[in-house]
Amino acid sequence: MRSRRAAPGGQGIATAVMVVPATALYVLMLAVPVGLAVYLSLTDWDGFSASPAFVGTANYADLLGDAGLQRAATVTLLVAGVGTAGLNVLGLGFALLLNRPSRLNSFFRMVMFYPHVLSALVVGFLWSAILGTTGAVNSLVTSRGGEVLPFLSDPDWALATMIAVVVWAAFGVNVVLYLAGLQAVPHSLIEAARIDGATRWQVFRHVTLPALGPSVTINVVLSLVTLLKTYDLVVSLTAGGPAGQTQTVAYLILWNSFHDGRLGFGSAQAVVLMLVTAVLALAVTRLRRRAETAVYS
């Protein structure tokens, strides 16, 4: 019986039909905005003029001496680094606690994921009302004769508070992702380790954690990329204060672009942030893949 094979021309048309929609969406949703941002970063556009002047790489040269950007970059890296560590430690810890199926664990999973459902703006205003100078916590402290705690009025306290709120608002996603990873760990391996006399810590260290390698990679990269773009919670919690000490790069981009009317300069900042985010994400992914390969080799 002769098998029927599609003609090369017909196969090529079918492939093109399947690829074209995805390619069109990619160009429309990613390539066009990125290309427009790169173009604007080479101009002095203020957001209103019809014909912005071409300034070459002047905006990028200005970035090097911008003290505000350097401070914002430091804040952003602190938020991303400490926040990523906090999200993954808390996410994995609570996932281990809630791994067994029960109604109570299902309830706590829902409770922990709930902050992520709320808008970051709402979360910021909520915690601002709780931790502000006249907020609920300080009202309670001062009513007992204590001094006002500068959660949001002292630069160091405000940065620590912002990181804590960021972690509180987002770690529910990490719990869910780690729970999915724990469900995929072969139960036979855990039982074999227990039969061989391994303690609970040894089972976790030598069986569960290596098997969670792909989940760790996904959680770390997603957390890092998300936190490098922290903006809306800064707006509602600290508004970048006090004295601009909690401004992130994303916050500064919007401030320079729309408050100061420097969309060309803001676009240059956005392009640099995009490149830094891509490089860090790729670097972390490669490091994690090497670690996973070393475990299984």
Side-chain angles (χ1 to χ4, degrees), residues 51-198:
S51 55
F54 183 77
V55 296
T57 59
N59 287 325
Y60 292 97
D62 291 342
L63 294 179
L64 298 176
D66 191 301
L69 178 62
Q70 293 171 7
R71 182 179 61 240
T74 303
V75 171
T76 302
L77 290 176
L78 275 173
V79 171
V82 178
T84 298
L87 286 172
N88 284 276
V89 170
L90 287 178
L92 179 57
F94 279 103
L96 290 169
L97 290 174
L98 303 176
N99 191 30
R100 292 185 178 179
S102 70
R103 290 186 178 180
L104 191 60
N105 282 349
S106 299
F107 170 76
F108 281 121
R109 290 174 189 174
M110 181 185 66
V111 169
M112 289 183 183
F113 189 75
Y114 186 71
H116 185 71
V117 177
L118 299 174
S119 163
L121 288 173
V122 174
V123 171
F125 285 127
L126 173 67
W127 281 102
S128 177
I130 295 174
L131 301 176
T133 305
T134 58
V137 172
N138 275 318
S139 296
L140 179 63
V141 171
T142 53
S143 67
R144 303 291 178 99
E147 296 183 355
V148 172
L149 299 174
F151 290 109
L152 303 176
S153 56
D154 178 85
D156 295 333
W157 281 61
L159 182 57
T161 301
M162 188 172 73
I163 294 173
V165 173
V166 166
V167 172
W168 177 86
F171 87 98
V173 176
N174 300 85
V175 173
V176 172
L177 292 175
Y178 277 121
L179 278 170
L182 287 171
Q183 302 299 319
V185 177
H187 196 66
S188 58
L189 293 179
I190 297 175
E191 287 299 323
R194 287 174 178 168
I195 291 173
D196 289 340

Side-chain angles (χ1 to χ4, degrees), residues 79-81 83-88 113 116 166 170-178 180 213-230 277-278 280-285 288:
V79 171
T84 298
L87 286 172
N88 284 276
F113 189 75
H116 185 71
V166 166
F171 87 98
V173 176
N174 300 85
V175 173
V176 172
L177 292 175
Y178 277 121
S215 298
V216 174
T217 302
I218 292 171
N219 274 283
V220 170
V221 173
L222 285 180
S223 303
L224 184 65
V225 171
T226 302
L227 295 182
L228 284 172
K229 300 181 296 181
T230 302
T277 302
L280 288 177
L282 288 174
V284 171
T285 302
R288 285 297 312 156

Side-chain angles (χ1 to χ4, degrees), residues 194-208:
R194 287 174 178 168
I195 291 173
D196 289 340
T199 62
R200 297 182 67 178
W201 167 250
Q202 289 172 329
V203 171
F204 171 75
R205 173 68 181 83
H206 298 290
V207 178
T208 306

